[in-house]
Amino acid sequence: MRLVVAISGASGAVYGIRLLAELRRLKVETHLVVSAWGRTTVQVETGHAYQDVARLADACYENDDLFAPCASGSALFDAMVVCPCSMHTAAGIRLGLADSLILRAADVTIKEGRRLVLLVRESPLSSIHLENLLALSRLGARIMVPVPAFYHRPQSIADMVDNTVARLLDQLGLFLEEGQDGTRVPRWGDAQPR
Ligand SMILES: Cc1cc2nc3c(=O)[nH]c(=O)nc-3n(C[C@H](O)[C@H](O)[C@H](O)COP(=O)(O)O)c2cc1C
């Protein structure tokens, strides 16, 4: 499997980093694009430098590099994930702006009929945000929000992050089993706590 992974400047850079680590473990080829504000949130929220995150991907591109493979529909990718996805990036995708690599790659993903998963993060959501997300959903994008589930009794923030990343991977047909690599990603119906 070959994926485009974008990290934009919404809060929740940790989701993008965990996703990249998991995809590496699963031997999925990743082409990473991090927006300028995505780099800021990586630094501010996790303390990691962009280079630390870039090392988790197979290839990295600048957000203004429209020569990158994922800028063209002729380059074959299975899907694209924007994780986390800011409202700015969601709006730009919805409008088909395609003037940065993230927006162009998403535009290509939609026009080629490939899977686009957006882990959107903002709160509260305005009517502008909701209308953009509805339009994207109607275009076939999978809209996910990093809202933690509690039925598996998470013990830590890492548990919550892992669970959201596991559900995101479900959307790509990559199904993690509980306990793999020390993660707690139980599914409803698997030995529920009582
Ligand atoms: C620390 C930090 C946290 C932010 N959190 C969010 C957020 O959760 N959601 C959002 O839509 N924008 C958030 N923003 C604002 C975006 O970074 C801003 O709209 C930016 O233009 C997004 O650009 P990008 O989509 O190209 O990354 C945040 C900015 C900073 C600096």
Side-chain angles (χ1 to χ4, degrees), residues 7-12 34-42 44-45 63 82 84-90 100 102-103 120-123 125 129:
I7 296 178
S8 69
S11 189
V34 184
S35 73
W37 283 106
R39 291 184 193 212
T40 301
T41 51
V42 164
V44 167
E45 296 185 345
N63 200 19
V82 186
C85 181
S86 72
M87 292 303 112
H88 169 261
T89 290
S100 68
I102 293 176
L103 297 186
V120 299
R121 198 275 151 202
E122 186 51 280
S123 186
L125 291 160
H129 304 147

Side-chain angles (χ1 to χ4, degrees), residues 18 31 43 64 66 70 75 78 84 106 117 125-126 130 136 145-146 149 151 155 158-159 165 169 176 179 193:
R18 278 296 296 133
H31 289 227
Q43 171 65 46
D64 62 358
L66 294 183
C70 60
D78 296 284
V117 183
L125 291 160
S126 73
L130 291 166
L136 286 164
V145 283
Y151 58 80
Q155 304 293 306
D159 279 354
V165 168
L169 289 169
L176 296 185

